[in-house]
Amino acid sequence: MKTALIILAAGKGTRMQSDLPKVLHQIAGAPLLIHALASGRDITPERTVIVTGHGGEAVTAAAQDHDPDIETVEQSEQLGTGHAAAQAAPLLRDFDGKVAVLFGDTPHIQPETLARVMENDADLTVLGFHADPSTRYGRLIAAGDDLQAIVEWKDASEDQRAVTLCNSGVMAARAEVMFSLLDAVDDDNAAGEFYLTQIAAIARDRGMTAKVVECEEAETLGVNSRADLAAAEAAFQARKRAEMLELGVTLQAPDTVILAYDTVIGRDVTIEPNVVFGPGVTVETGATLRAFSHLEGCHVARGAVVGPYARLRPGAELAEDTKIGNFVEVKNAQIAEGAKVNHLSYVGDATIGARSNIGAGTITCNYDGVMKHHTTVGEGAFIGSNTMLVAPVTVGDEAMTASGSVITSDVPEGALAVARARQETKPGLARKLMARLRAIKASRKD
């Protein structure tokens, strides 16, 4: 059956104390909205509609940057979740398939959980979880998995509040059923809002089947405050670290490693303490990431060693058995097999050939104030310490540069380039100069 998603993302998020729309606050390097979209991975939706409100333009831009095919519709008045879901009707009412309603501020619903909801054959399926009776969640009134009604906490009796089966808000039905039920929702309740939850009772009144699919409470936790955001980040990191350990990754101090939502790491990778991953990182089998390194938008191949205290920025491509050492930064550069950049260097907008050695303190001077320029270092080259490579420039295969050189012209294959002033030595001048300076200082005190 075809599937579609409706994601409710219209809330302002007043408790976040922010000008940024709530669903654009980030965990693991991606907005909450992107995590909600990821929940639909296993059902491969043909259509996705996001209901926007506060900051709608920014929400739309973020969603379509993630997937240009995502559609958005505005909820101009905040009249409740039922009213919000109904805004998608003009786009999806005639959709021939099943529709799931998710929330943009609920980032932990797992793809396999949503797949179970969509696979259920009831007319209406609701995702529920068990929680302590003291919580203020809406309650699912059910016999087994047979759902009778959903009761909001504000409207629940004492007996209903004692029920531990709670409502996640996630539900699914065929499109024509979903919007027919939403058309019948009213605002006759304590809050005077159009609740999405009313559709369960409406479905029952119409003789339809309604079922509950259960998940862990942790999957349903929403984000309404900065404290919630921090808790969501911690929950994501704990889950992702556990996943990495299961896949054969060595984390020497797991609680100190920060992973991104899309981090991919192969088995037998060793990650030392305090390594931070930004978005877009892939690390292949057998690599070593040493302590206090930061990686973002890069690829690290088999057997490479990075750090400690290294930074790999977007576009860094490390081939097999490369070494990127302490306090080295690499940006938009390809480091070929066996090459070494071991100490205190910056390599940006560059190609470094196989087995080349980049000496300590080397800098590719890639920016002229307006444009970026490329540096090419050939295979087996040796770049002396403290060399400035002023791009655009090429150093040929097996060529060398003398330490302290400023290279502004191409260096042919096999050549040695020396580009520094000739040293002059003045015997005894240092003592004379220091004596003079001390005398001047003493005279000023007088």
Side-chain angles (χ1 to χ4, degrees), residues 42-108:
D42 287 359
I43 66 169
T44 57
E46 292 197 7
R47 303 273 298 277
T48 298
V49 176
I50 297 175
V51 181
T52 68
H54 173 70
E57 290 185 4
V59 173
T60 296
Q64 294 182 343
D65 183 58
H66 176 75
D67 181 352
D69 293 330
I70 288 176
E71 303 166 85
T72 62
V73 61
E74 183 183 7
Q75 184 190 21
S76 56
E77 294 183 273
Q78 307 295 296
L79 301 178
T81 53
H83 179 261
Q87 304 310 299
L91 296 174
L92 293 177
R93 188 183 294 276
D94 296 328
F95 179 72
D96 183 21
K98 208 166 190 177
V99 174
V101 179
L102 302 176
F103 292 79
D105 61 359
T106 305
H108 297 308

Side-chain angles (χ1 to χ4, degrees), residues 116 125-153 156-157 159-170 197 210-217 220:
R116 288 194 294 116
T125 306
V126 175
L127 182 64
F129 60 96
H130 285 277
D132 188 280
S134 64
T135 58
R136 301 178 67 87
Y137 298 118
R139 298 305 201 253
L140 299 184
I141 309 304
D145 67 348
D146 190 18
L147 180 64
Q148 304 298 318
I150 306 174
V151 183
E152 295 292 339
W153 173 264
S157 67
D159 287 344
Q160 290 170 331
R161 290 179 178 182
V163 172
T164 62
L165 186 59
C166 299
N167 177 39
S168 73
V170 174
T197 51
K211 298 288 185 180
V212 178
V213 169
E214 295 184 21
C215 69
E216 295 296 321
E217 181 181 4
T220 70

Side-chain angles (χ1 to χ4, degrees), residues 264-266 269-270 277 280-289 294-307 312 316-324 335:
V264 177
I265 303 177
V269 169
T270 297
F277 294 85
V281 177
T282 299
V283 182
E284 292 187 16
T285 296
T288 298
L289 307 180
H294 187 287
L295 297 81
E296 179 178 4
C298 62
H299 171 254
V300 179
R302 181 186 297 265
V305 178
V306 177
L312 302 184
E317 288 279 343
L318 308 189
E320 294 185 3
D321 300 320
T322 51
K323 295 187 184 300
I324 304 298
I335 313 297

Side-chain angles (χ1 to χ4, degrees), residues 9-21:
K12 183 176 181 180
T14 304
R15 290 170 56 195
M16 297 295 291
Q17 298 293 326
S18 174
D19 294 329
L20 188 69

